[in-house]
Amino acid sequence: MTTTAREVAARTARELHDAFRVHGHAVQVVAEPCAEGGEVYVSLFGPLRVAEARLVAEALLAYRATERRLSAEVAAVNARSRRGGLG
């Protein structure tokens, strides 16, 4: 079974809504129709409260920091591997 763009948008909207809900926020997230070129979008309806906006900002910053840390760790492992040891 092939997943359609609409199904991807609906699943993503549901996941984002659920993530907000886990943190105690009721943010309405809706899947949008597929745009030309196949791009898929979701919309947040209504303005975000400051706490909700901060939650998103903190999550994105934490993700970026984790991504950098993992990249540094992978580079270190690769360097050790090139020198002949993984330990």
Side-chain angles (χ1 to χ4, degrees):
M1 181 174 120
T2 303
T3 303
T4 66
R6 181 71 178 157
E7 291 169 329
V8 170
R11 183 178 58 242
T12 303
R14 187 172 48 255
E15 290 170 355
L16 184 54
H17 170 79
D18 291 348
F20 274 112
R21 190 175 51 197
V22 164
H23 290 278
H25 301 284
V27 176
Q28 184 181 5
V29 185
V30 176
E32 293 292 337
C34 190
E36 283 188 40
E39 199 66 40
V40 181
Y41 294 90
V42 299
S43 291
L44 302 174
F45 281 93
L48 294 179
R49 291 181 295 150
V50 169
E52 295 160 344
R54 284 188 177 147
L55 177 65
V56 172
E58 289 169 5
L60 291 172
L61 289 171
Y63 176 78
R64 187 170 183 194
T66 299
E67 213 174 35
R68 285 183 183 151
R69 182 181 51 79
L70 290 175
S71 292
E73 290 175 10
V74 167
V77 168
N78 287 340
R80 283 195 303 272
S81 177
R82 284 191 298 276
R83 288 191 305 267
L86 292 175

